[in-house]
Amino acid sequence: NAGVTQTPKFQVLKTGQSMTLQCAQDMNHNSMYWYRQDPGMGLRLIYYSASEGTTDKGEVPNGYNVSRLNKREFSLRLESAAPSQTSVYFCASSPNAGALLGEQYFGPGTRLTVT
Amino acid sequence: GEDVEQSLFLSVREGDSSVINCTYTDSSSTYLYWYKQEPGAGLQLLTYIFSNMDMKQDQRLTVLLNKKDKHLSLRIADTQTGDSAIYFCAESGTDSWGKLQFGAGTQVVVTP
């Protein structure tokens, strides 16, 4: 049981390049989330998927797109990277239904630098 | 939107108690949470409290909630070097589908 896995762990992009961050969970959770973590700002929600087949914007969605490929996988795409997107990105999942609302399980993060 | 505020840094000596404070603004929050982030890792749920409770104790952890003042605190008794981490306070409303609003995090450094 690997929990929540993210790839890659580190990435350096040039301004304007695109990339997709991958996330998968093996806990049969309904909900999945993408956050970014910046110094002094905590975690900010980018997008979330309450259940398979649905996605919704969070607090800071501009410059990002997501795909809930199936119940296990939730990817985050940067179409044209900007230096302001330099951050640590965390994927999380939550069982939600019948469980403690707000109990989320986090992946180890992807450290992204855009030059 | 909702705001969750925490002090950014706390230094404590090994064996002492640590108290981390948090204020929040969303009065509809059903649960309030404390998450812990160790260096280079993702967040882990440490403990939580339901909004109709004043206090919750879990081994070395004590959570106090003052709903009138919208103030939450986490007390760690007998702080150990392994408690060095960033601690995040978070709230969830009643209709947020499990979405959380996080504070900026409090970096706790435990010195010998």
Side-chain angles (χ1 to χ4, degrees):
Chain A
N1 196 338
V4 180
T5 56
Q6 292 183 237
T7 54
K9 285 189 167 46
F10 301 94
Q11 183 73 46
V12 179
L13 290 178
K14 288 186 170 25
T15 298
Q17 287 185 316
S18 62
M19 79 161 295
T20 299
L21 281 65
Q22 306 286 354
C23 173
Q25 52 90 10
D26 61 1
M27 297 175 282
N28 200 36
H29 286 172
N30 290 319
S31 300
M32 298 184 74
Y33 312 83
W34 275 106
Y35 293 93
R36 59 179 289 173
Q37 182 180 25
D38 301 294
M41 300 189 75
L43 272 76
R44 292 182 291 168
L45 184 65
I46 304 171
Y47 269 93
Y48 70 102
S49 171
S51 60
E52 186 180 356
T54 69
T55 60
D56 284 285
K57 294 178 181 179
E59 185 185 348
V60 288
N62 291 345
Y64 305 95
N65 283 300
V66 290
S67 295
R68 183 77 183 264
L69 303 166
N70 46 54
K71 194 170 186 180
R72 288 188 64 246
E73 297 171 288
F74 189 38
S75 62
L76 178 72
R77 182 157 178 87
L78 286 71
E79 290 292 351
S80 178
S84 60
Q85 294 178 305
T86 293
S87 189
V88 181
Y89 291 84
F90 287 100
C91 177
S93 69
S94 174
N96 271 349
L100 173 65
L101 198 67
E103 181 177 7
Q104 296 184 10
Y105 295 76
F106 283 78
T110 295
R111 189 174 294 274
L112 176 67
T113 302
V114 183
T115 60
Chain B
E2 300 86 358
D3 274 329
V4 179
E5 294 189 359
Q6 311 176 230
S7 54
L8 293 183
F9 186 79
L10 176 69
S11 179
V12 62
R13 292 178 76 165
E14 193 174 10
D16 288 349
S17 292
S18 313
V19 179
I20 308 165
N21 294 302
C22 169
T23 57
Y24 62 97
T25 56
D26 186 358
S27 58
S28 70
S29 293
T30 307
Y31 290 97
L32 294 130
Y33 307 85
W34 286 102
Y35 276 81
K36 178 182 180 182
Q37 183 182 31
E38 295 183 355
L43 280 69
Q44 282 187 297
L45 180 64
L46 196 59
T47 187
Y48 65 93
I49 188 167
F50 190 51
S51 59
N52 70 352
M53 297 168 67
D54 298 324
M55 185 181 86
K56 179 180 179 181
Q57 188 141 7
D58 184 0
Q59 299 183 328
R60 291 191 296 123
L61 305 177
T62 304
V63 180
L64 295 177
L65 176 61
N66 181 329
K67 201 168 179 186
K68 174 176 163 290
D69 293 339
K70 297 190 186 130
H71 182 266
L72 182 73
S73 67
L74 174 69
R75 179 177 178 269
I76 306 173
D78 187 25
T79 310
Q80 304 297 308
T81 54
D83 295 323
S84 292
I86 303 176
Y87 292 80
F88 292 90
C89 169
E91 62 174 354
S92 65
T94 56
D95 60 352
S96 60
W97 292 99
K99 286 189 298 175
L100 296 173
Q101 183 77 28
F102 285 92
T106 300
Q107 170 103 46
V108 173
V109 174
V110 182
T111 57

